Amino acid sequence: MALNRRDFLKSAAAASAASAVGIAVPSNLEASSNEAQKDWRWDKAACRFCGTGCGIMLATKGGKIVAVKGDPAAPVNRGLNCIKGYFNAKIMYGSDRLKQPLLRMNDKGEFDKKGNFKPVSWQRAFDEMEKHAKKALKHGGPESVAVFASGQYTVMEGYAAQKMMKAGFRSNAIDPNARHCMASAVVGFYQTFGIDEPSGCYDDIELTDTVISWGSNMAEMHPILWSRVTDRKLSDPDRVKVVSIQTYTHRTSDIADIEILFSPNTDLALWNYVAREIVMRDKKGGGKEDIIDWDFVNKNMIFAAGPVNIGYGMRRASDKSIKDGKYNAKEMETISKEMEKKVSAKEAPALAPFGYKEGDTMKHTAGTLKHWHISFEDYKKSLEPYTLDYTAKIVKGDPDEDIEEFKKKLQMLAELYIEKGRKVVSFWTMGMNQHTRGTWVNTLSYNVHFMLNKQAVPGSGAFSLTGQPSACGTAREVGTFTHRLPADMMVKNPKHRAIAEKKWMIPAGTINGVGKQHIMKIHRDIEDGLVKFAWVNVCNAYQDSASATHWIKAAREMDNFIVTSDGYPGISAKVSDLVLPSAMIYEKWGAYGNAERRTQHWRQQVLPVGDAMSDTWQWVEFAKRFTVKDLWGEWKPSGPRKKALPSVIEEAKKMGYTEDTTMFDILFNNKIAKSYKLDQNDPIQKGYDNSEGYGDSRNVVGSDGKVFKGYGFFIQKYLFEEYAAFTRGHGHDLAPFDMYHKVRGLKWPVVDGKETQWRFNVKYDPYAAKAAKGTDNTHAFYGKLAKNLLQGNLTGPDKKLGKKALPNKAKIFARPYMDPPEMPDETYDTWLCTGRVLEHWHSGTMTMRVPELFRAVPEALCYMHPKDAKAKGLKQGGLCWVESRRGKVKARVETRGRNRPARGLVFVPWFDEKVFINKVCLDATCPMSKQTDYKKCAVKIYKA
């Protein structure tokens, strides 16, 4: 049979992918594959999508990627890809790919906020950015220049952006979309361990006896990990148990031995019920069993509590936009609870140990991270309300399920955790993180594992999975959050600022010590008129934020300048005043860090399309537009910063800089940077493009109006190595740049060339071994944050008792169930939950442009129970309105799909900009982590 060129290439790619996972290939197909591949270049890379961190192999020919397959040498996925992973190449070649800058202009060629987009040069684009950034600085200082950053930045891009913002602009108004997905996990780690990121690794899956998925649809969100879970289940189906704990039934429940459907927000109560079973049945808790590993707890744990009246992370009554009447009466019904609320009958028993009763007015103080040391007896007291009857009553999420059968499931869940010798892994992602008590529920997970000594040991542990490919590696580790610096350092800590200033070769006192402009605060600051210049990087900030109508209106109608760098014209690009075409994933050198602390690198495989350039290049070029005089003078108090930021110009002069020295020369073009040589004899660089280093054959006309010929040094290696230097010797150690190009990633800390599988465990973690030296401790929780606490009880600290140091210890927290700020009522009678589907990534900006993925799932559906649809006069496939206090969208009804809610809840994914569900969602956040709760708000559903 004759094959045309297209079929020939497809058969070759299919054969190559099949062989990667050990599938036998017919001889004729194998021959065709070999013939097609003879002039292909294969190289390793990391997948562009979720935080699993799969390794892939890319084939290039004639300057284009022609095939993708799973990397059989990658320890994460072992040659497998999910459906999105196989289309990593196609995401780069959509028909509407952005290829040149676009500026809103009038017919005279002038910038006009109400004008239409017209192509401009890179020089004109940077001219406009410079003008409007300087205008913003004049208006409100560094706090008026903001960046919507990303957990999809490469490590180098995120580091360049952070460095220019915090060292250059002296602005901490940079925060990643990882705030939306991982911030509650981060604060949970900090509060519990004193340091960020998981203790375990994916190897736990093959070693465990029990996998419990808490509010996470792993089958669709982390399908490769779920394939490993499935394989483990099938390897020993009688011993290995899978529990799916969800607010609605989905594919993760299909192989579950137990499915527990819970009412939104009551996972807090469910964790506390399991903890109560552990404590009350233990001899020291008044029971008859030896359940708690007291030797482990006494050596490694303390008990802690914090305030409960912390609000819901919404706007405060003092906010300018509230005073200006920008929020209507319906919206204010919910927002008013940010200031105070009445304690409900549902939550009153849980709050009783903390001094509240039903009907009390709880006055809220905006979220605080404060907490204090309490006794075991106080912790036990906090668990007393969570009897089986109370827990089952408030937790049961399916109104049609028998309460006695539900109670049996709760008991079985507790038994799986408690059983001696049974290894247990608890996985979660957005269900526990996107939560108005997200930090609390994260810490509650560790309570259970700690008391049983089932944390930071092979096969057991509470494990926060990551949503984005480098939410860990870039957003968290690099420190692109408003409050952070690299390697767990904080902008508010003078010692940390001094370390960064020395490394960055900038004057002491340059870095702004106030970092409070998190991603929702940036949106609110734009609406309040403080932020006048905002740059969207590697995300879709105007589609991915709840209460979206407010932020889009502020961006389009107020006096500001919004820039979006992207590969495609998504909602954020359409909202913007200037759009910059970004090089996409394999059009640049890069690195990502995944959920198990694995850092992976790849080389530039092809040239960017059109005049697109990497986000690293865009930041470095932007730095050329600003001098010492422009940025390092004195800045008056502004926004969250209540004190003046002093001038450091004279100190800069003492360091050899002048008032006219550019940030480019200080931060990116310095002597150390230039020491990283470009060298085509280097086996890592040989044969590969480097558009930032050399320029390339496209001859892109750059920001100065001249053809860009490259920086003349290996800027990606420089940025990585400078960042990595922060990590070494501090429990985050990264390996050298070159090593990552020889391996399939390494889990940090990498010490003496060896990765670490289980942190804090003396047997596996060199830092733990060092910290525990001279003791018989099996663990050392060596994180240093919040390890000197006041002492007190459940209602508050007692300063008379003084502080207590907690070296090498972790914490078990007393934290109650509380209602979310918005729950179904007579008018808005249904819970709304949002999330993703297997075939699409986030806002669909990339995956909706892949024909195969678009055909598979062309639109976002409203998944609901058939009885709810019938009661509301809706039919399968018909259209309905989904309406909240904030807005409404039209969606197609689905009653028989993969997602199967119980009565009273609907699920609508957010990838489809035509079903713009984030206009409906509430922008309440965990007041401690500032992460938005997309998983629960109240809506009404009716026929469209």
Side-chain angles (χ1 to χ4, degrees):
M1 179 180 69
L3 293 176
N4 62 33
R5 181 178 180 278
R6 179 180 177 83
D7 290 338
F8 188 57
L9 290 172
K10 288 175 71 175
S11 68
S16 183
S19 65
V21 292
I23 298 174
V25 178
S27 57
N28 64 329
L29 186 58
E30 186 174 13
S32 298
S33 172
N34 292 336
E35 175 64 22
Q37 293 186 53
K38 66 182 181 181
D39 56 353
W40 290 6
R41 180 186 70 187
W42 287 97
D43 196 23
K44 74 176 183 74
C47 179
R48 174 62 180 80
F49 298 110
C50 77
T52 300
C54 293
I56 62 173
M57 297 295 291
L58 299 170
T60 55
K61 177 184 178 181
K64 191 170 183 177
I65 299 174
V66 294
V68 180
K69 63 183 179 183
D71 183 353
V76 171
N77 54 309
R78 306 163 186 180
L80 287 176
N81 281 346
C82 78
I83 187 64
K84 293 187 298 298
Y86 286 111
F87 292 106
N88 266 289
K90 281 199 171 184
I91 61 173
M92 294 161 50
Y93 301 124
S95 61
D96 60 343
R97 179 75 190 272
L98 294 168
K99 297 179 180 179
Q100 58 191 130
L102 301 171
L103 178 68
R104 290 187 182 275
M105 294 193 290
N106 59 27
D107 292 337
K108 297 178 182 179
E110 301 164 332
F111 166 66
D112 186 339
K113 198 167 180 70
K114 296 182 179 180
N116 295 322
F117 284 118
K118 296 179 183 179
V120 294
S121 66
W122 277 110
Q123 183 178 32
R124 174 69 188 278
F126 280 107
D127 286 347
E128 293 292 341
M129 289 174 69
E130 176 188 352
K131 179 174 73 175
H132 289 281
K134 288 179 176 176
K135 179 181 175 182
L137 288 165
K138 187 175 182 180
H139 167 77
E143 287 73 16
S144 288
V145 174
V147 174
F148 293 105
S150 180
Q152 298 164 64
Y153 272 142
T154 68
V155 169
M156 298 78 155
E157 289 168 342
Y159 184 69
Q162 181 198 213
K163 195 176 183 185
M164 180 58 197
M165 282 296 286
K166 294 182 178 179
F169 283 114
R170 308 177 78 184
S171 173
N172 293 321
I174 174 172
D175 209 57
N177 62 350
R179 175 73 67 177
H180 291 316
C181 73
M182 296 310 302
S184 295
V186 174
V187 181
F189 281 122
Y190 278 144
Q191 293 225 319
T192 302
F193 297 93
I195 192 171
D196 192 14
E197 300 210 29
S199 56
C201 62
Y202 299 158
D203 297 345
D204 287 327
I205 295 171
E206 282 74 31
L207 297 172
T208 196
D209 306 309
T210 320
V211 173
I212 303 180
S213 176
W214 285 80
S216 173
N217 186 0
M218 287 180 68
E220 293 200 51
M221 304 311 113
H222 296 89
I224 294 301
L225 294 183
W226 195 243
S227 73
R228 290 174 62 171
V229 171
T230 302
D231 185 62
R232 175 64 183 134
K233 171 66 179 173
L234 295 176
S235 71
D236 192 354
D238 294 331
R239 172 64 179 169
V240 177
K241 301 299 180 185
V242 175
V243 183
S244 180
I245 302 174
Q246 317 293 347
T247 56
Y248 61 94
T249 300
H250 45 59
R251 287 175 173 173
T252 296
S253 298
D254 290 347
I255 68 163
D257 297 279
I258 304 170
E259 181 190 52
I260 296 173
L261 293 186
F262 68 94
S263 179
N265 231 58
T266 62
D267 44 358
L268 292 154
L270 190 50
W271 276 114
N272 277 326
Y273 162 74
V274 176
R276 185 186 190 277
E277 286 292 295
I278 292 168
V279 169
M280 301 301 178
R281 287 165 53 182
D282 186 81
K283 288 179 180 177
K284 286 193 177 181
K288 299 179 180 180
E289 302 175 63
D290 291 313
I291 293 177
I292 298 174
D293 187 331
W294 281 105
D295 182 63
F296 175 82
V297 170
N298 289 334
K299 288 177 178 177
N300 297 289
M301 298 292 132
I302 65 101
F303 297 90
V308 297
N309 59 328
I310 58 177
Y312 298 104
M314 296 183 286
R315 277 195 173 278
R316 305 284 298 176
S318 58
D319 287 3
K320 186 176 186 299
S321 292
I322 297 289
K323 291 180 177 180
D324 289 348
K326 292 184 179 180
Y327 290 76
N328 63 41
K330 288 183 178 179
E331 291 176 293
M332 290 305 298
E333 289 174 5
T334 300
I335 294 173
S336 65
K337 295 176 185 176
E338 176 61 25
M339 279 53 77
E340 63 179 42
K341 60 166 282 183
K342 294 284 186 183
V343 174
S344 73
K346 183 177 181 179
E347 65 190 347
L351 287 169
F354 297 84
Y356 290 91
K357 63 182 185 298
E358 182 182 352
D360 281 355
T361 297
M362 179 183 285
K363 292 187 179 295
H364 291 143
T365 301
T368 175
L369 299 175
K370 291 179 181 178
H371 55 280
W372 49 87
H373 189 296
I374 62 171
S375 68
F376 169 69
E377 288 303 316
D378 277 327
Y379 175 65
K380 177 185 172 183
K381 181 180 177 182
S382 78
L383 298 176
E384 287 173 357
Y386 302 97
T387 62
L388 181 60
D389 287 343
Y390 172 67
T391 303
K393 179 182 178 181
I394 70 168
V395 170
K396 188 169 78 75
D398 180 356
D400 299 322
E401 184 173 11
D402 179 76
I403 188 72
E404 296 305 319
E405 291 301 311
F406 186 72
K407 287 179 182 179
K408 290 178 184 178
K409 291 181 181 180
L410 302 190
Q411 290 173 313
M412 286 189 286
L413 173 68
E415 287 301 325
L416 287 173
Y417 277 106
I418 291 170
E419 182 185 329
K420 295 287 186 183
R422 173 170 287 277
K423 298 176 181 178
V424 185
V425 177
S426 303
F427 284 121
W428 70 91
T429 316
M430 301 311 153
M432 277 171 48
N433 293 341
Q434 293 175 341
H435 196 305
T436 53
R437 291 294 181 268
T439 299
W440 287 10
V441 75
N442 269 261
T443 61
L444 294 182
S445 70
Y446 300 117
N447 293 357
V448 168
H449 283 266
F450 279 148
M451 288 190 288
L452 301 170
N453 193 4
K454 294 184 179 182
Q455 182 70 31
V457 292
S460 284
F463 197 132
S464 164
L465 295 172
T466 313
Q468 298 187 82
S470 207
C472 289
T474 306
R476 293 158 73 170
E477 293 161 26
V478 170
T480 57
F481 284 91
T482 181
H483 62 291
R484 287 180 72 164
L485 292 166
D488 274 339
M489 296 195 300
M490 304 291 172
V491 297
K492 71 176 182 180
N493 187 319
K495 293 180 180 178
H496 292 176
R497 297 198 301 273
I499 292 169
E501 287 161 348
K502 183 177 180 180
K503 177 66 66 178
W504 289 340
M505 297 182 289
I506 60 177
T510 301
I511 298 175
N512 184 343
V514 180
K516 295 184 177 181
Q517 288 174 279
H518 56 86
I519 202 161
M520 290 312 304
K521 185 70 164 65
I522 293 173
H523 276 305
R524 295 167 185 170
D525 282 348
I526 293 172
E527 187 178 46
D528 287 348
L530 173 61
V531 170
K532 295 292 188 180
F533 177 95
W535 191 358
V536 179
N537 282 191
V538 207
C539 68
N540 198 346
Y542 285 92
Q543 186 174 342
D544 70 22
S545 296
S547 297
T549 301
H550 277 277
W551 324 131
I552 290 174
K553 184 177 181 181
R556 291 303 312 130
E557 297 180 8
M558 296 181 69
D559 177 23
N560 51 47
F561 192 76
I562 312 296
V563 183
T564 291
S565 295
D566 206 339
Y568 290 104
I571 285 179
S572 294
K574 295 168 187 173
V575 166
S576 296
D577 302 300
L578 174 66
V579 180
L580 304 179
S582 286
M584 291 183 68
I585 180 75
Y586 310 116
E587 297 170 341
K588 57 196 177 187
W589 291 71
Y592 279 160
N594 78 349
E596 63 167 353
R597 296 171 280 108
R598 181 181 298 277
T599 308
Q600 303 181 82
H601 284 234
W602 66 89
R603 296 181 277 208
Q604 182 176 339
Q605 301 297 316
V606 292
L607 298 183
V609 301
D611 285 347
M613 294 296 284
S614 74
D615 292 79
T616 299
W617 180 87
Q618 292 174 33
W619 273 103
V620 173
E621 292 300 295
F622 197 39
K624 292 178 177 178
R625 300 299 185 109
F626 299 90
T627 65
V628 167
K629 184 179 181 180
D630 292 330
L631 302 182
W632 286 0
E634 181 180 350
W635 296 106
K636 296 177 181 179
S638 179
R641 179 173 50 82
K642 305 306 179 185
K643 295 181 180 180
L645 200 56
S647 172
V648 293
I649 291 175
E650 292 306 313
E651 288 301 311
K653 290 178 180 178
K654 293 176 184 177
M655 297 175 71
Y657 305 134
T658 71
E659 291 190 358
D660 296 324
T661 305
T662 67
M663 292 299 123
F664 168 70
D665 285 319
I666 296 171
L667 303 178
F668 303 113
N669 193 43
N670 52 61
K671 185 186 295 186
I672 295 175
K674 292 176 183 177
S675 71
Y676 289 88
K677 303 297 184 184
L678 294 169
D679 182 4
Q680 280 298 309
N681 291 317
D682 175 2
I684 291 169
Q685 302 180 54
K686 188 176 181 179
Y688 288 87
D689 290 301
N690 188 327
S691 294
E692 292 93 338
Y694 296 108
D696 59 51
S697 60
R698 296 173 301 152
N699 290 322
V700 173
V701 177
S703 66
D704 58 359
K706 300 175 183 177
V707 172
F708 178 69
K709 296 295 186 181
Y711 297 122
F713 59 92
F714 201 170
I715 189 169
Q716 299 90 352
K717 186 173 182 178
Y718 159 64
L719 291 169
F720 180 81
E721 286 292 356
E722 183 177 278
Y723 153 62
F726 282 103
T727 71
R728 294 167 186 152
H730 303 288
H732 282 76
D733 308 56
L734 294 175
F737 178 91
D738 289 4
M739 183 179 289
Y740 288 109
H741 285 279
K742 300 172 184 176
V743 298
R744 264 55 176 184
L746 293 168
K747 297 186 286 286
W748 60 261
V750 181
V751 180
D752 297 328
K754 297 178 182 178
E755 64 180 5
T756 299
Q757 291 173 286
W758 290 279
R759 294 172 83 196
F760 314 121
N761 188 313
V762 169
K763 186 176 179 180
Y764 301 96
D765 183 348
Y767 281 92
K770 181 180 178 181
K773 190 174 182 179
T775 74
D776 62 352
N777 287 5
T778 58
H779 291 72
F781 298 96
Y782 49 78
K784 291 182 167 48
L785 191 70
K787 289 294 185 77
N788 191 26
L789 298 182
L790 288 169
Q791 300 173 71
N793 56 33
L794 292 175
T795 59
D798 185 346
K799 292 183 179 179
K800 295 178 183 177
L801 297 176
K803 289 189 174 183
K804 188 173 183 179
L806 314 167
N808 296 325
K809 292 199 174 187
K811 301 165 196 163
I812 293 172
F813 278 95
R815 280 168 167 163
Y817 163 76
M818 287 185 71
D819 294 338
E822 188 171 272
M823 302 171 72
D825 56 23
E826 291 184 1
T827 304
Y828 301 94
D829 60 354
T830 301
W831 287 110
L832 168 67
C833 178
T834 64
R836 294 200 289 114
V837 294
L838 170 65
E839 294 82 357
H840 290 295
W841 170 248
H842 275 204
S843 60
T845 314
M846 296 180 289
T847 51
M848 287 288 273
R849 284 159 172 90
V850 176
E852 293 86 346
L853 298 177
F854 176 79
R855 287 196 296 268
V857 182
E859 62 181 328
L861 304 173
C862 179
Y863 294 88
M864 67 170 58
H865 194 281
K867 289 183 179 179
D868 278 348
K870 184 177 180 180
K872 297 175 187 299
L874 303 171
K875 293 183 179 180
Q876 164 69 26
L879 292 173
C880 69
W881 285 107
V882 182
E883 182 177 340
S884 73
R885 291 171 172 83
R886 291 155 294 282
K888 64 181 182 177
V889 296
K890 192 184 294 185
R892 199 170 302 281
V893 175
E894 178 56 74
T895 61
R896 59 191 186 193
R898 64 181 83 173
N899 299 303
R900 292 150 275 164
R903 289 190 298 113
L905 184 145
V906 297
F907 172 76
V908 183
W910 69 279
F911 68 85
D912 187 353
E913 65 179 51
K914 293 179 181 177
V915 183
F916 195 173
I917 197 64
N918 277 333
K919 294 194 299 184
V920 177
C921 294
L922 173 66
D923 66 316
T925 73
C926 167
M928 300 170 79
S929 71
K930 319 301 182 189
Q931 178 167 353
T932 311
D933 188 342
Y934 296 92
K935 298 303 182 185
K936 59 196 79 77
C937 68
V939 297
K940 56 184 176 183
I941 315 287
Y942 54 95
K943 190 173 182 179

